[in-house]
Amino acid sequence: MILGKGAYLRQMTTATSQMKSVEVGKEMTGSSPPSVFIGSWNYPDVFAGPMIAPIHGDTAIMDRPEEWISSKLTQEEIIGYRMNLVRGKHMTNACDVSSRFVEKLQEIVLADSSIESEAAFESAPSGFTFSEEHTPFGPSGSLENFEIEAGRWDPSLEKVFYDTDMAARNAVLDLHSSGLAFSTIQKAFSAGTMGRGPKRRLVPTRWSITACDTMIGDQLLCEVKKYPVIDTMRLYEFASLHNRYAVLLMPTSWQYEWTEAFIHVLGNEEYVFSDHEGHKGKEGYSPLGGCYYSCKMAVLEALAREHHQAGAIILREALPGYVPMGVFNVRENVRSAMQESFTEFEDLKSVLGHVSDTFTLPVQRFITETTLLRESLKQRQCTLSDFSGFSGKHGGKPDA
């Protein structure tokens, strides 16, 4: 808590040094899922390039987060996929989207299937990268040469690519409304394939993920605020990848709080981080990073689908065995939670009593560290003493 979430996560990602990534030489051929990665260091001059697996054929599952949770892949299986993706790097200016190199990257993200690729590196790629913001990947290397085979473009992406009068935000929203996968939209946005002609830019992958979550979430919030408020207290629950989630929807107008606890991931630590917003939304960027916006978007998707409005309080526990793999982990787990049947409760105290039986951390700790949850309890004339007998009793790991 003293160091803050960012410092804690940097410590956590450093602890993944035992991971092994694929070994490749200075030259390789294989398939891009399709996938690219745009770095953020030294922006607007950034390292950009393809992500290629040394495998020929359909490698789409390696970069399709929307399918990982629903397919019940284990954390080890997901990391195995990601460690087989080799990142090619070439320094380019984010504004230079007309170069042949960037055009190749755009052809990759616009493709509707895996793209056969060839790459030559200055030296054999090495290392691997883990992050709480973006999905991990295997070794990286500076490119000497890079070629791809021609592929068929996704018709929806092709349409927005050639519409140079459409704002990037409108393109993202239209593609999301059409049902295109979030990861597909985000990669196309990152590679500068959207927006009014002269304003098109490469957007670093990490930034593009939160930008798309935010744009979609803001639009959904405008819709949700027009709908009637739910009439009962609801609880949605889900667990996977060493995470446990409780999504509480309250019969109030829109308000939102995201609270995450990291319990004994590195040792004996029990850290809780929380942030919230009222009905008017949030001012400034959340100190909790991209997961705040990924969770918000996932909850608003479900409310908009149901044509309802509610206040949302989400509790998350990351437990021993957890490894940071990007904000998809939050988005897709919360999406999965919102697909589950909910349980109705008479009041907030009853909800927290139920949560205390499944969560590891005592519920009093969540109440103490939150703002919206604590204020909601006060409005219902509950105090911390009401929960003195509530403690986490589960004690085990969620499904891996």
Side-chain angles (χ1 to χ4, degrees):
M1 289 294 291
I2 296 174
L3 295 176
K5 181 185 174 185
Y8 173 64
L9 290 177
R10 284 191 293 273
Q11 186 180 7
M12 191 185 299
T13 54
T14 302
T16 61
S17 58
Q18 75 277 10
M19 300 292 179
K20 299 293 183 183
S21 58
V22 66
E23 294 184 5
V24 294
K26 291 181 62 177
E27 296 183 355
M28 70 171 290
T29 62
S31 294
S32 179
S35 182
V36 302
F37 190 89
I38 315 296
S40 58
W41 177 81
N42 203 44
Y43 185 87
D45 294 317
V46 296
F47 282 113
M51 304 273 271
I52 307 170
I55 302 167
H56 296 278
D58 184 5
T59 57
I61 189 63
M62 293 183 172
D63 201 28
R64 193 72 63 78
E66 293 83 1
E67 297 182 11
W68 296 341
I69 306 295
S70 59
S71 298
K72 295 184 174 13
L73 295 183
T74 65
Q75 182 170 273
E76 291 70 27
E77 287 173 322
I78 295 170
I79 292 174
Y81 283 142
R82 300 301 301 179
M83 291 297 99
N84 273 283
L85 281 175
V86 181
R87 177 193 175 194
K89 300 189 296 183
H90 176 71
M91 181 68 78
T92 187
N93 189 279
C95 300
D96 186 12
V97 295
S98 60
S99 70
R100 180 56 189 144
F101 176 76
V102 173
E103 286 178 352
K104 291 177 187 176
L105 300 184
Q106 292 180 335
E107 289 177 32
I108 289 175
V109 299
L110 293 172
D112 68 355
S113 59
S114 302
I115 295 289
E116 287 295 304
S117 310
E118 296 181 2
F121 301 93
E122 294 178 4
S123 59
S126 61
F128 55 85
T129 299
F130 279 79
S131 170
E132 178 72 1
E133 300 297 326
H134 59 74
T135 47
F137 52 81
S140 300
S142 296
L143 289 166
E144 281 188 345
N145 189 45
F146 164 55
E147 299 295 338
I148 60 172
E149 290 187 359
R152 187 178 63 182
W153 288 6
D154 180 282
S156 300
L157 294 176
E158 183 175 11
K159 181 179 178 181
V160 299
F161 176 77
Y162 284 116
D163 191 344
T164 55
D165 293 324
M166 177 184 285
R169 178 180 181 277
N170 292 339
V172 168
L173 297 178
D174 285 355
L175 291 169
H176 178 261
S177 296
S178 72
L180 204 62
F182 178 91
S183 60
T184 300
I185 299 170
Q186 171 266 313
K187 285 180 286 188
F189 175 80
S190 180
T193 67
M194 305 176 192
R196 296 190 174 95
K199 293 186 177 181
R200 292 189 175 185
R201 301 284 188 274
L202 295 179
V203 182
T205 297
R206 180 167 61 90
W207 302 354
S208 69
I209 295 170
T210 298
C212 289
D213 272 324
T214 302
M215 286 186 282
I216 296 169
D218 287 348
Q219 177 62 31
L220 291 170
L221 182 54
C222 290
E223 297 175 21
V224 165
K225 285 183 176 180
K226 300 175 184 177
Y227 298 139
V229 173
I230 61 174
D231 55 10
T232 59
M233 194 83 68
R234 302 180 181 180
L235 179 66
Y236 300 79
E237 300 174 277
F238 195 74
S240 78
L241 304 179
H242 303 284
N243 288 268
R244 188 178 292 118
Y245 292 83
V247 181
L248 167 62
L249 297 186
M250 304 181 295
T252 70
S253 61
W254 171 257
Q255 49 186 331
Y256 165 65
E257 185 164 64
W258 163 248
T259 303
E260 50 189 340
F262 296 86
I263 306 169
H264 303 172
V265 178
L266 295 178
N268 294 321
E269 81 283 3
E270 293 182 351
Y271 292 154
V272 181
F273 306 100
S274 184
D275 196 12
H276 73 286
E277 64 186 60
H279 188 68
K280 293 182 179 180
K282 184 163 191 62
E283 294 184 4
Y285 184 71
S286 173
L288 301 193
C291 59
Y292 179 91
Y293 303 95
S294 292
C295 177
K296 177 180 174 180
M297 193 276 279
V299 172
L300 285 167
E301 265 187 340
L303 287 171
R305 187 168 58 241
E306 194 180 322
H307 289 189
H308 272 129
Q309 182 177 180
I313 293 176
I314 297 85
L315 306 179
R316 170 207 191 184
E317 286 187 331
L319 298 164
Y322 168 76
V323 174
M325 294 192 296
V327 298
F328 92 86
N329 205 342
V330 171
R331 184 189 310 105
E332 299 309 321
N333 271 299
V334 174
R335 276 176 161 176
S336 295
M338 302 308 292
Q339 296 281 359
E340 297 288 310
S341 299
F342 60 82
T343 306
E344 293 187 356
F345 292 86
E346 292 184 0
D347 52 40
L348 189 52
K349 183 179 178 181
S350 300
V351 176
L352 295 179
H354 176 85
V355 170
S356 71
D357 289 334
T358 58
F359 268 45
T360 299
L361 199 67
V363 71
Q364 301 102 310
R365 183 67 187 279
F366 283 105
I367 298 170
T368 301
E369 302 290 352
T370 56
T371 299
L372 182 56
L373 177 58
R374 188 170 66 250
E375 290 178 351
S376 297
L377 285 169
K378 286 181 180 179
Q379 291 170 6
R380 289 158 179 79
Q381 297 182 334
C382 295
T383 65
L384 269 177
S385 62
D386 293 324
F387 302 92
S388 59
F390 291 176
S391 60
K393 302 180 182 67
H394 191 279
K397 297 180 183 178
D399 296 338

